[in-house]
Amino acid sequence: MKVRLGDYIQEYSVKNKDDENISVYSVTNTKGFCKDYFGKEVASKDKTTYKIVPYGYFAYNPSRINVGSVDWQRKEKKVIVSPLYNVFSVSPNLERQYLYYYLKSDFVLQRIKAVATGSVRDNLKLSMLYEFPIELPKLENQRKIVKILDKVSDVIEKKEQELKQLNTLVKSRFVEMFGDSKINPNNYPICQLSEYINFLTSGSRGWAKYCIDSGREWFITIKNVKDCNISVDNMQSINAPDNAEAKRTKVQEGDLLISITADLGRTGVITKEIAEHGAYINQHLTRICLNQAILNPLYVAYFMGTPAGKEQFESKNQSAVKAGLNFNSINSLKIMIPPMDVQNKFVAFVNQVNKSKSKIQKSLEETQLLF
């Protein structure tokens, strides 16, 4: 039975007028109700205007609901949230967790995008939410549905945790094999990266005209480069021009990519799959061809992610306002150089871990689809 949501929820707009010492929360897309989200920022603020959210009540920020920042309060007897939030109670005939899953669904997020309005950012008023249709089976069936979704959600969370643990394992293995990158306990040579760079270039600008959904090749952007990996998910497809610019920015297997604007120091290494498909980099990335007789590119990628690497990117940032690195900055990066066999041993370990991650990722995607 499809019903009007507004017949089963009701606004609750009680403020903390007595200035009670109640915990301040926010609601995020990934964590739901989140304490201390604002840190010390609200400590000195007047909290008498903040809204109270009793246990079991929902809250959301009208300007952030389009990314799924909504949840019901299950942390404390009552908490307070910013006066910007909408707070509402739920009818006993509507299971809270059932409503939660409904509000986080793609169907609702798409509907929000269609109806929310705002000059600066989309804004979903509670009166708009009232008009949303919701399929409302009997309470017993709602609970059965919730039980199934909770189980699948738990599996998803565990698989995501597995991936995080494998990332931590690789970082731990790096320290185990090479020691603290800042201390260099094995006294490995420290050299400038420029000594081992055969080719260095940045990516192309103004290639939007070549971007096409049915393009033959890929255009690698900064969003594809993260955690020493280059993801082919959401890769922009293009039909690249046949000119010198394209030849200069086309990647080859083993190329090291480093982000040089925005989030500085993201790294990844071009795989055989990417190289054979054909790919080019945009202006936010630099392509580095290393002397692989001395440096394994994947080892370099992980070194740049250690404290010793991150500190260099921070110190070489060309602007306090807009982050950026030039070629001189890249060339002057210093790197610890262990024996090649030790580097290769570490990379072999990484490759084995990546195989495990690939299997978990595939399983995770299947489980998310099931959800």
Side-chain angles (χ1 to χ4, degrees):
M1 179 177 66
K2 192 164 287 186
V3 299
R4 175 179 174 269
L5 183 57
D7 294 333
Y8 292 84
I9 65 175
Q10 184 175 4
E11 184 176 13
Y12 184 84
S13 190
V14 178
K15 296 182 179 179
N16 185 31
K17 292 180 180 179
D18 296 331
D19 199 19
E20 293 184 65
N21 186 23
I22 306 175
S23 300
V24 179
Y25 276 74
S26 180
V27 180
T28 70
N29 181 32
T30 55
K31 296 181 179 179
F33 270 87
C34 182
K35 192 175 182 180
D36 298 326
Y37 181 75
F38 299 103
K40 298 179 180 178
E41 182 182 338
V42 299
S44 61
K45 284 187 175 181
D46 175 14
K47 291 180 280 187
T48 60
T49 61
Y50 277 50
K51 291 182 179 178
I52 294 175
V53 188
Y55 181 92
Y57 285 48
F58 276 76
Y60 73 89
N61 185 329
S63 63
R64 298 187 64 209
I65 186 68
N66 62 329
V67 293
S69 299
V70 61
D71 197 7
W72 61 276
Q73 201 276 105
R74 62 197 95 180
K75 303 289 186 179
E76 303 183 31
K77 185 176 180 180
K78 59 182 176 181
V79 303
I80 55 176
V81 293
S82 163
L84 297 174
Y85 276 68
N86 285 331
V87 181
F88 60 87
S89 61
V90 182
S91 164
N93 296 323
L94 178 54
E95 183 73 20
R96 298 186 193 102
Q97 191 68 355
Y98 179 84
L99 176 58
Y100 169 79
Y101 283 128
Y102 167 79
L103 294 174
K104 300 281 280 188
S105 68
D106 288 341
F107 165 77
V108 168
L109 293 179
Q110 290 301 320
R111 187 178 179 91
I112 289 170
K113 289 179 182 179
V115 304
T117 57
S119 57
V120 178
R121 59 169 70 178
D122 291 343
N123 193 298
L124 183 75
K125 298 176 182 178
L126 194 56
S127 59
M128 295 176 178
L129 189 62
Y130 283 163
E131 302 306 318
F132 279 36
I134 179 171
E135 195 70 36
L136 195 67
K138 292 180 180 180
L139 199 56
E140 179 184 356
N141 288 337
Q142 291 180 47
R143 288 170 179 159
K144 286 181 180 178
I145 292 169
V146 165
K147 190 174 181 180
I148 293 170
L149 292 177
D150 279 346
K151 285 182 178 179
V152 180
S153 182
D154 184 56
V155 172
I156 290 172
E157 184 178 345
K158 287 179 178 177
K159 290 183 185 297
E160 289 174 339
Q161 190 60 37
E162 282 185 76
L163 291 175
K164 290 179 181 178
Q165 289 173 345
L166 287 174
N167 286 334
T168 301
L169 177 64
V170 171
K171 293 177 182 177
S172 299
R173 182 62 171 158
F174 187 98
V175 175
E176 180 185 326
M177 292 186 66
F178 305 111
D180 186 321
S181 59
K182 293 175 67 176
I183 299 173
N184 187 16
N186 297 312
N187 294 316
Y188 293 131
I190 304 293
C191 302
Q192 282 196 176
L193 191 62
S194 60
E195 295 182 33
Y196 307 101
I197 293 178
N198 294 332
F199 181 76
L200 169 65
T201 191
S202 58
S204 298
R205 297 176 181 272
W207 273 34
K209 58 188 174 183
Y210 303 123
C211 295
I212 180 172
D213 290 341
S214 58
R216 300 181 301 272
E217 299 147 313
W218 284 329
F219 198 44
I220 305 174
T221 67
I222 194 170
K223 70 180 181 182
N224 302 112
V225 181
K226 188 177 181 182
D227 297 329
C228 306
N229 179 59
I230 301 174
S231 172
V232 298
D233 294 336
N234 300 317
M235 194 79 84
Q236 174 65 58
S237 58
I238 60 170
N239 282 337
D242 183 14
N243 58 24
E245 175 76 356
K247 290 180 173 64
R248 177 181 67 82
T249 60
K250 187 173 184 179
V251 298
Q252 304 295 326
E253 182 180 359
D255 282 350
L256 172 68
L257 303 189
I258 299 179
S259 61
I260 54 176
T261 65
D263 189 0
L264 300 180
R266 289 190 180 200
T267 60
V269 176
I270 297 298
T271 62
K272 182 179 180 180
E273 174 199 5
I274 295 173
E276 289 183 347
H277 187 277
Y280 305 80
I281 57 171
N282 75 351
Q283 72 269 24
H284 302 297
L285 299 168
T286 184
R287 171 191 163 215
I288 304 172
C289 180
L290 294 167
N291 179 352
Q292 295 189 34
I294 306 296
L295 284 174
N296 189 304
L298 197 55
Y299 161 77
V300 177
Y302 275 93
F303 176 87
M304 293 305 171
T306 67
K310 290 179 178 178
E311 282 188 5
Q312 292 185 75
F313 287 119
E314 290 171 3
S315 66
K316 295 177 186 298
N317 185 5
Q318 298 300 301
S319 170
V321 179
K322 187 176 181 180
L325 298 175
N326 58 28
F327 286 173
N328 288 335
S329 300
I330 296 294
N331 276 311
S332 63
L333 288 169
K334 287 185 167 56
I335 185 165
M336 183 172 72
I337 306 181
M340 198 62 194
D341 62 328
V342 183
Q343 293 182 47
N344 290 338
K345 187 177 179 180
F346 169 74
V347 169
F349 176 80
V350 172
N351 289 335
Q352 285 300 317
V353 171
N354 284 342
K355 289 180 181 178
S356 298
K357 287 172 63 177
S358 180
K359 291 178 182 178
I360 296 171
Q361 183 63 44
K362 183 180 179 180
S363 176
L364 174 60
E365 289 169 359
E366 291 172 349
T367 309
Q368 288 170 329
L369 181 61
L370 174 64
F371 180 84

